[in-house]
Amino acid sequence: MKGRKLLIENAHIPGITTFDVYQKNGGYRALDKALKSMSPNDVVEEVKKSGLRGRGGAGFPTGMKWSFLAKPEGVPRYLVCNADESEPGTFKDRYLMEHIPHLLIEGMILSSYALGANLSFIYIRGEFMWILEILEKAIAEAYSKGYLGKNIKGSGYDLDLRVVPGGGAYICGEETALIESLEGKRGNPRIKPPFPAVKGLWGCPTVVNNVESIAAVVPIVNEGGDAYAAIGIGRSTGTKLISACGNVARPGVYEIDLGVSVEEFIYGDDYCRGMANGKKLKACVPGGSSVPILPHYLVTKTATGEDRLMTYESLADGGFATGSMLGSGGFIVFDEDQCIVRNTWNFARFYAHESCGQCSPCREGTSWMEKVLYRLEHGNGNIRDIDLLAEINKKIEGNTICPLGDAAAWPVAAAINHFREEFEWHVTNREEAVSRNYGLSKEPVTA
Amino acid sequence: MVKVTIDDIEIEVEVGTTILNAARKIGGDIVPPAMCYYSKLEVSGGKCRTCIVEVAAGSSADPRPMPKLVASCSTPVADGMIVKNKTSERVKENRAGVVEFLLINHPLDCPVCDQAGECHLQDLGYEHGKAKTRYEEERRTFDPIDIGDKIKLHMNRCILCYRCVNTAEQLTEQRVHGVMNRGEHAEISTYIEKAIDNDFSGNVIDVCPVGALTDKTFRFKSRVWFLKPMEGERNCEKCSGKAVLWMFGNEIYRVTARKDQYGEVEDIDGKTAWICNDCRFEKKDVNDWNVTGPRVIDRHSVISQGKYETKMNTKIKRIN
């Protein structure tokens, strides 16, 4: 099973968005199998065995998340698919839903069956209107073929599936904000506890999973949890969609076995095929805009000199001092011509714009950072601003209602940590900094 | 019942009590400040982050410390929990950070603000704020707007505690104001400056911890510390009719609900004594009210320093 794509293998087949072609190519096999020969609990057990970790960014084991779901008598349970993919640099779910929508729908039916949900939702980013149409078409087909609705394929299991578009806010990708939005309210994250597994959608137990996590349930049921767990290294099992972008020769969505080395991913022929235009690697954000940036000397090797691998553990090796995170798999590569200050400002601008404004550290802090970074980038900064930024993000981190505050603080902290020289250069060479870029940063001298 | 230790003081509270309410049971200076939590509202809290505390031990069953500082208003206690508030340097530092965030865009127009003297943000800034600002950017500004003929909204001063939103949600049939926009641009507003018009809308003024929502019938009439707070009663069909009359001589300048030491509307006969707009805005004649005696303001702000009350209190104590 190693080296084979489990999710997007068939994505290129013409007409795969239709039910018939999808089914001809092995689609809905997992669902038939589960409905015929597996109890809901068997499916949960397979997912637990597979070691699948949430593909939305946090990497929490999906099976464990499912087992936390409260199951009080007489109260409905809900499964919600988080398709509000809006992190800068991440576009893997979009690819999956656009090219092979039935995989998500099969995964949704399987997962809903496992959790005992009779009404499930796909909450899709409002900007993905054309994908909403693709999904709705696919859902209509599934209904007409008897895979959705009452008594699915004679199993006695009922499920309705709805797609609901968001209104264009990144914050609605946070699970409790998503639930609020789904309920028709302003998308403000809720104060936790209670967690959605106990009190979620309309006060009922709810599981919110990423698109890729739900899609991965299909191969897990097809091939068995153990076979899935055999791929990857340690606690990073299975395959992962990585959306590579930036200055690589061949950007795009790749399905990799977790454990591929970062070096191979950037330079390998099967993947990004090296840097574009023969430029040098300057930095890399390996998991979407919210994870710490890595300078070139920490991208392919960890601080201890080991090869860095595309796993949850290896990318986080060194903590926030010299490591980063796998996150959602938004792999952004920067070449020597890119300005880190400008990029940090760009990210900060995004988070300032997307903060819901509920809690004070995030509302005020993200905008403050954005303004200071804007000044630095535009030649109006002071040396003290650099320390100020570091201070502000320490006051945001960990003090907010939801992880958006952390997501805004980490990239700024890491950029200053690794590229302080470049920030200082923006202050000491204001005019030059506006007209040209700093280039590669120096590698720190190690003993 | 569960036992919790806050700043080395142990107390027994009911299961489900929040850290903040447990601290309030102990009382005194170990109570974390709260700008958005309001115990009389069914939903409130968690937003301003001024009440953050350190949990040094989660419970006796799981004595691990909580990695992040937690909002004490929305975190329930567990048996054997050890909480540090004023004994934690981390809390002090981060709370100062929150206060700084709350103040960077605040206009600091206390000299012309009606809330001055009874403003929670003023107190908070005095206790935790820095003397100097590090904010060099332009402050965000909004134009003040009228929401109805009795209430003025100064969005510049607002800290987005959501108390007024939750109050309207709870007290009125249909809430007509809320939060619009996001992040730094978030603002309290009615849609297209519509009036807030119902019998209990005036209570949003009482719950506002800052000078964002003020009483137009009192605006710029007097500083609160020049007025003497008196307890007044009247027969009112709509509300309890029990209020505080802010008087100068025999004239009533302002009517508010009766508030406790945390600035929250008091419970009278087991019910939160919200007052109606009639009592608040229309009854400004001393003959409308039965004035029963001086009101003790139990908060350390400039108004509670009024010697008048202190003298009255000692006299009352002596008589008793």
Side-chain angles (χ1 to χ4, degrees), chain A residues 113-432:
Chain A
Y113 174 70
L115 295 166
N118 298 110
L119 174 59
S120 296
F121 295 90
I122 299 172
Y123 182 91
I124 191 164
R125 180 180 178 185
E127 287 88 340
F128 287 169
M129 264 325 193
W130 80 99
I131 304 179
L132 179 121
E133 282 166 20
I134 295 172
L135 288 174
E136 282 193 328
K137 221 169 126 194
I139 287 172
E141 280 182 306
Y143 267 106
S144 70
K145 301 285 178 183
Y147 279 100
L148 277 170
K150 293 256 174 267
N151 191 14
I152 295 173
K153 289 283 155 191
S155 63
Y157 173 64
D158 306 334
L159 175 69
D160 281 307
L161 182 58
R162 302 264 179 278
V163 196
V164 180
Y170 170 69
I171 190 61
C172 291
E174 196 274 346
E175 58 178 6
T176 55
L178 188 156
I179 290 171
E180 286 278 302
S181 174
L182 203 50
E183 288 180 4
K185 299 177 191 150
R186 179 186 163 90
N188 276 0
R190 291 179 181 170
I191 320 277
K192 283 148 279 185
F195 290 93
V198 179
K199 230 177 150 190
L201 190 59
W202 295 302
C204 302
T206 304
V207 166
V208 183
N209 278 141
N210 175 259
V211 171
E212 191 188 342
S213 310
I214 287 173
V217 177
V218 176
I220 288 170
V221 169
N222 260 333
E223 322 253 348
D226 289 329
Y228 188 85
I231 310 170
I233 294 173
R235 289 183 57 238
S236 299
T237 60
T239 63
K240 170 96 187 79
L241 295 179
I242 304 286
S243 55
C245 62
N247 307 115
V248 286
R250 202 171 62 146
V253 177
Y254 297 95
E255 185 170 355
I256 61 159
D257 286 1
L258 285 169
V260 167
S261 75
V262 176
E263 173 127 34
E264 192 189 338
F265 185 71
I266 298 177
Y267 298 102
D269 278 348
D270 291 339
Y271 306 107
C272 300
R273 294 188 185 162
M275 301 296 294
N277 308 319
K279 299 274 182 183
K280 288 195 196 97
L281 173 72
K282 177 175 184 177
C284 173
V285 174
S289 63
S290 61
V291 308
I293 191 167
L294 293 172
H296 64 91
Y297 50 87
L298 287 172
V299 175
T300 55
K301 299 272 181 210
T302 65
T304 49
E306 284 168 44
D307 281 344
R308 207 181 282 276
L309 310 176
M310 299 288 278
T311 63
Y312 291 96
E313 293 77 18
S314 180
L315 280 168
D317 186 281
F320 280 2
T322 60
S324 184
M325 286 162 80
L326 178 62
S328 57
F331 198 87
I332 313 170
V333 179
F334 303 86
D335 71 17
E336 57 197 297
D337 288 343
Q338 306 310 318
C339 174
I340 297 299
V341 178
R342 188 172 184 82
N343 176 65
T344 311
W345 166 57
N346 189 28
F347 284 172
R349 191 173 54 159
F350 174 78
Y351 289 108
H353 182 67
E354 296 296 347
S355 165
C356 79
Q358 231 190 149
C359 63
S360 6
C362 180
R363 175 182 67 239
E364 306 293 344
T366 52
S367 299
W368 193 0
M369 288 202 297
E370 187 272 328
K371 285 171 188 161
V372 174
L373 282 160
Y374 175 85
R375 275 199 287 113
L376 277 167
E377 163 62 14
H378 291 83
N380 295 313
N382 294 305
I383 286 292
R384 64 170 182 274
D385 287 336
I386 302 167
D387 289 321
L388 177 65
L389 278 175
E391 275 268 308
I392 300 171
N393 74 57
K394 256 188 249 157
K395 294 285 154 52
I396 301 176
E397 192 193 335
N399 288 338
T400 54
I401 293 176
C402 81
L404 191 135
D406 298 339
W410 293 337
V412 178
I416 295 175
N417 181 16
H418 297 304
F419 298 93
R420 199 183 180 98
E421 243 182 50
E422 189 168 334
F423 279 84
E424 286 171 356
W425 180 79
H426 270 74
V427 174
T428 51
N429 302 280
R430 290 161 192 247
E431 274 163 38
E432 221 184 327

Side-chain angles (χ1 to χ4, degrees), chain B residues 187-237:
Chain B
E187 61 173 309
I188 299 287
S189 187
T190 60
Y191 192 57
I192 327 183
E193 298 187 21
K194 227 181 123 194
I196 297 184
D197 187 20
N198 61 68
D199 288 340
F200 283 84
S201 64
N203 287 291
V204 298
I205 300 167
D206 274 345
V207 298
C208 183
V210 295
L213 291 163
T214 49
D215 180 343
K216 278 178 73 183
T217 65
F218 174 62
R219 269 165 71 79
F220 307 132
K221 292 269 164 62
S222 171
R223 309 309 322 225
V224 285
W225 54 88
F226 293 137
L227 302 175
K228 49 180 187 188
M230 303 296 283
E231 287 186 356
E233 280 178 30
R234 61 180 288 269
N235 279 328
C236 180
E237 289 168 358

Side-chain angles (χ1 to χ4, degrees), chain A residues 168-171 186 188-189 191-193 352-368 371-372 375 382 384-385 387-388 391-401 403 406, chain B residues 44-50 52 68-69 71 74-76 93-98 100-105 130 133-140 158-162 179-186:
Chain A
Y170 170 69
I171 190 61
R186 179 186 163 90
N188 276 0
I191 320 277
K192 283 148 279 185
H353 182 67
E354 296 296 347
S355 165
C356 79
Q358 231 190 149
C359 63
S360 6
C362 180
R363 175 182 67 239
E364 306 293 344
T366 52
S367 299
W368 193 0
K371 285 171 188 161
V372 174
R375 275 199 287 113
N382 294 305
R384 64 170 182 274
D385 287 336
D387 289 321
L388 177 65
E391 275 268 308
I392 300 171
N393 74 57
K394 256 188 249 157
K395 294 285 154 52
I396 301 176
E397 192 193 335
N399 288 338
T400 54
I401 293 176
D406 298 339
Chain B
S44 73
K47 303 193 191 311
C48 71
R49 315 310 276 185
T50 51
I52 45 172
K68 288 180 183 178
L69 300 178
S74 51
T75 309
E93 198 187 311
N94 281 280
R95 188 171 292 152
V98 173
E100 184 175 27
F101 285 138
L102 288 177
L103 291 176
I104 57 172
N105 277 302
K130 295 190 172 80
T133 181
R134 297 187 288 179
Y135 192 67
E136 295 173 26
E137 329 305 321
E138 203 170 300
R139 281 161 203 253
R140 77 166 164 257
C158 178
I159 58 161
L160 283 161
C161 69
Y162 281 66
V179 176
M180 306 218 291
N181 299 328
R182 277 201 305 248
E184 201 201 23
H185 304 287

Side-chain angles (χ1 to χ4, degrees), chain B residues 25-93:
Chain B
K25 257 190 136 174
I26 298 172
D29 61 351
I30 63 125
V31 183
M35 299 295 289
C36 68
Y37 172 74
Y38 203 86
S39 67
K40 305 300 155 69
L41 294 173
E42 283 148 19
V43 181
S44 73
K47 303 193 191 311
C48 71
R49 315 310 276 185
T50 51
C51 71
I52 45 172
V53 292
E54 185 178 336
V55 176
S59 66
S60 42
D62 182 4
R64 284 177 301 172
M66 291 189 184
K68 288 180 183 178
L69 300 178
V70 299
S72 61
C73 68
S74 51
T75 309
V77 295
D79 198 35
M81 184 186 266
I82 299 171
V83 178
K84 286 171 149 189
N85 176 32
K86 65 170 195 145
T87 50
S88 162
E89 282 307 312
R90 218 174 119 206
V91 168
K92 278 188 204 163
E93 198 187 311

